[in-house]
């Protein structure tokens, strides 16, 4: 067995120590680095096309691409954050002012359809309900829901604000990845002991999932959210910008998507007596979601990534649990990289089959 020389041992110790120091320096910017890599991987085909068509140098083209990203992302996000903050406060005030015993009493124990249904059901089964306790419980739960809504909105706004603060660093990283992408790729691949074809497969899957998550799901989510927002506006629901933004973000989540918002909105319209608007909005939003998820996204994504929707859902929920809002993007990428490594294990490294 070959023993390590003093020089080799010294080299390994120094290398590990330097890697640890690099980790400490890069740790505060880890989120910005990952997200910049996602954006750079997604826009690289456009960057490559512009580089060939314009004839500009690689540095000038990378600088122009970063300026376009800043114009398309940074300034709209600042405006959107200010608008969302205003509408979130307005929503919370509306929920608090609407939660009172008079409203609950009329809804549960008045002469409406729901109140009559409760009375008939309890009478049918001979169940005696403590009305006062039920009122207090309903009021308490409504207050909890209002606080949950506010906290969720605040978390999203907080993530957007943190994203804005990190945006300058992200743009610098994106510029470096675009301008020096080939050299950085070669440098990283030479550090890896894996064969070149396996490294290329991992990078290919990474870029494909970037494109699917950021571009395909982003465009699909934008279509769903904006069209549903138009439906909300026609139905007379207020705070359109807030609900539209939330539905765009939720549209990234498969299976559930923006139904988390529009179904309660339809129930609210039905409770307030707007039955026609409720039914129409439900049918409209459901059709928008079904057409986008089952026709537009598969057409846009093509055969790039073949991953079960339920698995993507768990990856997104788990990613958001660990990384916050960024988990919408990180979760699926981590999952596809894991599946790629499993695929490589079964096809290359599993010697038990031999």
């Amino acid at each position: 067995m070959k023993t390590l020389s003093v020089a080799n041992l010294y080299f390994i110790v120094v290398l590990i120590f330097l890697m640890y120091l690099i980790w400490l320096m890069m740790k505060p910017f880890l989120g910005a680095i990952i997200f910049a890599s996602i954006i750079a991987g997604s826009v690289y085909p456009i960057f490559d096309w512009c580089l060939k068509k314009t004839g500009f140098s690689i540095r000038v083209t990378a600088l122009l691409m970063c300026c376009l990203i800043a114009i398309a992302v940074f300034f709209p996000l600042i405006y959107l954050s200010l608008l969302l903050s205003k509408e979130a406060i307005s929503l919370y005030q509306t929920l608090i002012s609407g939660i009172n015993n008079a409203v609950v009493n009329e809804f549960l124990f008045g002469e409406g359809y729901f109140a009559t249904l409760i009375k008939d059901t309890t009478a049918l089964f001979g169940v005696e309900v403590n009305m006062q306790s039920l009122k207090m419980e309903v009021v308490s739960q409504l207050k909890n829901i209002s606080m949950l809504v506010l906290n969720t909105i605040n978390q999203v706004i907080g993530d957007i604000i943190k994203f804005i603060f990190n945006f300058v660093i992200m743009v610098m990283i994106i510029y470096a990845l675009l301008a020096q992408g080939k050299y950085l790729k070669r440098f990283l691949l030479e550090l890896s002991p894996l064969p070149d074809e396996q490294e290329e497969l991992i990078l290919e899957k990474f870029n494909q999932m970037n494109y699917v998550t950021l571009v395909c799901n982003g465009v699909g989510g934008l279509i769903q959210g904006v069209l549903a927002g138009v439906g909300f506006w026609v139905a007379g629901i207020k705070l359109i910008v807030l609900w539209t933004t939330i539905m765009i973000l939720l549209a990234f989540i498969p299976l559930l998507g923006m139904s988390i918002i529009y179904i309660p909105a339809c129930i609210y319209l039905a409770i307030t007596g707007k039955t026609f608007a409720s039914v129409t909005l439900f049918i409209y939003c459901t059709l928008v979601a079904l057409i986008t998820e089952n026709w537009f996204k598969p057409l846009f994504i093509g055969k790039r990534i073949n991953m079960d929707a339920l698995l993507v859902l768990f990856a997104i929920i788990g990613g958001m649990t660990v990384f916050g809002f960024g988990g919408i993007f990180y979760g699926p990428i981590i999952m596809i990289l894991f599946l790629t490594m499993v695929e490589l294990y079964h096809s290359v490294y599993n010697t038990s089959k031999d």
Side-chain angles (χ1 to χ4, degrees):
M1 182 177 178
K2 190 176 179 179
T3 58
L4 288 175
S5 67
V6 175
N8 289 339
L9 184 61
Y10 176 78
F11 174 81
I12 292 173
V13 171
V14 172
L15 179 61
I16 293 174
F17 179 67
L18 290 174
M19 290 174 65
Y20 173 70
L21 293 179
I22 292 291
W23 164 253
L24 291 180
M25 291 190 295
M26 294 295 104
K27 187 178 179 181
F29 312 110
L30 187 60
I33 293 171
I34 295 174
F35 210 79
S37 302
I38 293 173
I39 295 176
S42 300
V43 302
Y44 191 82
I46 302 173
F47 166 77
D48 191 50
W49 180 85
C50 292
L51 189 63
K52 294 176 181 177
K53 293 294 182 181
T54 59
F56 294 151
S57 68
I58 191 169
R59 292 181 180 275
V60 172
T61 308
L63 183 61
L64 290 174
M65 185 63 64
C66 289
C67 291
L68 289 175
I69 292 172
I71 294 171
V73 176
F74 185 65
F75 297 109
L77 271 181
I78 293 177
Y79 173 75
L80 184 62
S81 297
L82 295 174
L83 197 59
L84 284 177
S85 299
K86 181 180 177 181
E87 292 203 352
I89 294 172
S90 177
L91 172 64
Y92 180 71
Q93 291 173 343
T94 301
L95 288 172
I96 292 299
S97 63
I99 297 171
N100 55 68
N101 285 325
V103 173
V104 176
N105 185 72
E106 177 61 28
F107 175 58
L108 290 178
F109 312 111
E111 300 301 326
Y113 173 78
F114 192 77
T116 304
L117 180 63
I118 291 178
K119 294 174 184 177
D120 292 343
T121 302
T122 53
L124 178 64
F125 292 97
V127 178
E128 185 176 349
V129 180
N130 188 324
M131 301 301 183
Q132 190 60 34
S133 299
L134 184 58
K135 288 181 188 179
M136 294 175 63
E137 180 63 25
V138 170
V139 170
S140 174
Q141 292 301 322
L142 289 175
K143 287 181 178 178
N144 291 336
I145 291 172
S146 69
M147 288 300 299
L148 177 62
V149 170
L150 180 65
N151 291 335
T152 303
I153 293 170
N154 286 337
Q155 182 180 353
V156 172
I157 294 172
D159 288 335
I160 292 175
I161 292 173
K162 284 191 287 186
F163 176 82
I164 291 173
F165 280 126
N166 290 327
F167 192 79
V168 176
I169 297 172
M170 287 176 52
V171 169
M172 295 171 62
I173 298 171
I174 291 170
Y175 173 80
L177 290 173
L178 293 177
Q180 304 292 330
K182 293 181 180 179
Y183 305 103
L184 289 172
K185 178 181 177 181
R186 188 183 309 131
F187 173 77
L188 293 174
L189 293 184
E190 287 176 352
L191 288 177
S192 170
L194 294 177
D196 291 346
E197 63 274 10
Q198 295 178 22
E199 295 169 341
E200 291 292 344
L201 176 63
I202 293 171
L203 283 176
E204 181 185 355
K205 293 292 185 180
F206 177 79
N207 288 328
Q208 285 179 348
M209 182 53 79
N210 285 344
Y211 181 82
V212 168
T213 304
L214 198 62
V215 179
C216 300
N217 284 345
V219 174
L222 187 64
I223 292 173
Q224 288 188 62
V226 170
L227 290 178
V230 172
F232 274 45
W233 177 71
V234 173
I237 296 177
K238 298 179 180 180
L239 308 176
I240 298 300
V241 174
L242 177 64
W243 297 126
T244 300
T245 303
I246 294 175
M247 285 189 289
I248 289 173
L249 296 176
L250 289 175
F252 278 86
I253 303 175
L255 302 180
L256 299 176
M258 64 181 189
S259 64
I260 299 172
I261 296 297
Y262 78 76
I263 290 179
C266 294
I267 294 173
Y268 165 77
L269 290 173
I271 290 173
T272 55
K274 300 178 182 178
T275 307
F276 178 77
S278 172
V279 174
T280 304
L281 181 65
F282 177 79
I283 295 174
Y284 170 74
C285 289
T286 302
L287 286 175
V288 167
L290 288 176
I291 291 173
T292 307
E293 292 293 331
N294 295 288
W295 177 73
F296 175 78
K297 283 188 179 181
L299 183 66
F300 205 166
I301 294 172
K303 298 181 179 179
R304 288 181 175 88
I305 293 292
N306 185 19
M307 190 187 299
D308 184 74
L310 191 60
L311 188 60
V312 176
L313 173 64
F314 286 136
I316 290 175
I317 294 174
M320 293 181 70
T321 303
V322 177
F323 303 107
F325 173 69
I328 290 179
F329 308 101
Y330 303 157
I333 289 174
I334 293 172
M335 182 62 72
I336 194 64
L337 291 178
F338 169 74
L339 294 177
T340 303
M341 295 300 290
V342 170
E343 179 184 337
L344 286 174
Y345 168 75
H346 285 300
S347 61
V348 179
Y349 297 101
N350 188 1
T351 58
S352 62
K353 293 182 178 181
D354 300 334

